[in-house]
Amino acid sequence: MFTGIIEAVGEIVSLERRSGDVRLQVRSAGMSWDDVALGDSIATNGVCLTAVALPGDGYVADVSLETLSLTCVGNWKPGTRVNLEKALMPQSRLGGHIVSGHVDGMGEVIAREADARSEHFVIRAPKELAKYIAHKGSITVDGTSLTVNRVNGCDFDLNIVPHSLQQTIIGDYQPGTKLNLEVDVIARYLERLLLGDKAAESGGKASMTESFLAENGYLK
């Protein structure tokens, strides 16, 4: 588990294709690696990856086909900057929100403009994720815990303060930038609970729709 509070910015050193999946190496001089052991989890742009080697200034991880299909990892190349966070420890402060590191899908920056000393961004989420994004709710963007300021269909707004712009890769974002999105875990579990017995139906037929909510008394 993670908090969405970025510890350092690193960069991709190498990506090696191996029988369809990828082995990558990440380096960061801005983060201490003394307390990281083989098998530990590192959130890299919000993707939970397992350290399989520790060269001293970063880590090496294998990325599965499933992860490549759901995230922006396939777009990375040597020199790509990434947000890094080590896994949450019991004594750590939960400064952001509960983040699993399991990316739900990819979004895209639609607009960026200055807003006093902050920057205002409009992000477009995939249609299937829009229902989980709420006004003043939490969302993880490339591993960073952020507050949603406005929602309009599949688009949501973020206001990023100077500190976050400097300490993460968000300052690099421009219209067209692809990014990893993880919705609030509570929203995902709530949907599953509301489905009740229908959640056990096979074939992917059970889903939270307006008609389902009306039929089960959640809407009037």
Side-chain angles (χ1 to χ4, degrees):
M1 303 299 292
F2 306 92
T3 67
I5 304 300
I6 303 305
E7 295 182 54
V9 172
E11 69 173 6
I12 303 300
V13 177
S14 63
L15 294 98
E16 178 187 349
R17 294 282 175 178
R18 293 192 172 190
S19 302
D21 57 21
V22 167
R23 172 163 286 195
L24 61 80
Q25 182 175 347
V26 181
R27 176 174 57 208
S28 176
M31 188 161 76
S32 172
W33 298 94
D34 296 342
D35 58 347
V36 178
L38 291 178
D40 282 358
S41 297
I42 307 291
T44 306
N45 269 15
V47 183
C48 179
L49 298 176
T50 300
V52 299
L54 295 166
D57 59 353
Y59 78 102
V60 176
D62 291 317
V63 184
S64 68
L65 285 173
E66 170 74 3
T67 301
L68 290 170
S69 69
L70 289 173
T71 72
C72 299
V73 175
N75 299 331
W76 296 351
K77 56 187 177 182
T80 296
R81 286 166 27 101
V82 290
N83 292 322
L84 298 175
E85 181 191 355
K86 289 180 276 191
L88 177 66
M89 300 185 71
Q91 68 270 28
S92 301
R93 291 188 178 94
L94 187 59
H97 71 284
I98 296 174
V99 175
S100 68
H102 304 156
V103 172
D104 293 296
M106 290 179 278
E108 180 179 351
V109 177
I110 300 302
R112 173 180 179 168
E113 61 182 10
D115 184 9
R117 294 189 305 116
S118 299
E119 289 287 315
H120 174 254
F121 292 88
V122 179
I123 312 295
R124 180 160 296 160
K127 184 177 180 180
E128 61 272 18
L129 297 185
K131 60 184 175 181
Y132 301 111
I133 302 171
H135 174 62
K136 295 303 179 184
S138 295
I139 191 163
T140 308
V141 178
D142 277 342
T144 308
S145 172
L146 298 169
T147 300
V148 176
N149 289 330
R150 189 176 71 91
V151 179
N152 180 23
C154 292
D155 297 348
F156 63 94
D157 293 22
L158 303 169
N159 268 74
I160 310 299
V161 298
H163 177 80
S164 297
L165 292 169
Q166 295 165 4
Q167 299 299 318
T168 72
I169 66 167
I170 297 176
D172 299 340
Y173 293 171
Q174 297 297 332
T177 299
K178 302 289 186 181
L179 32 75
N180 295 319
L181 299 177
E182 180 186 332
V183 299
D184 191 346
V185 64
I186 295 174
R188 287 187 296 193
Y189 281 116
L190 180 60
E191 178 186 41
R192 191 74 173 168
L193 287 168
L194 288 174
L195 286 170
D197 292 340
K198 288 188 175 293
E201 294 181 2
S202 61
K205 294 181 179 179
S207 62
M208 188 64 62
T209 63
E210 187 172 348
S211 60
F212 173 89
L213 292 171
E215 290 170 5
N216 288 272
Y218 295 110
L219 294 178
K220 294 183 179 179

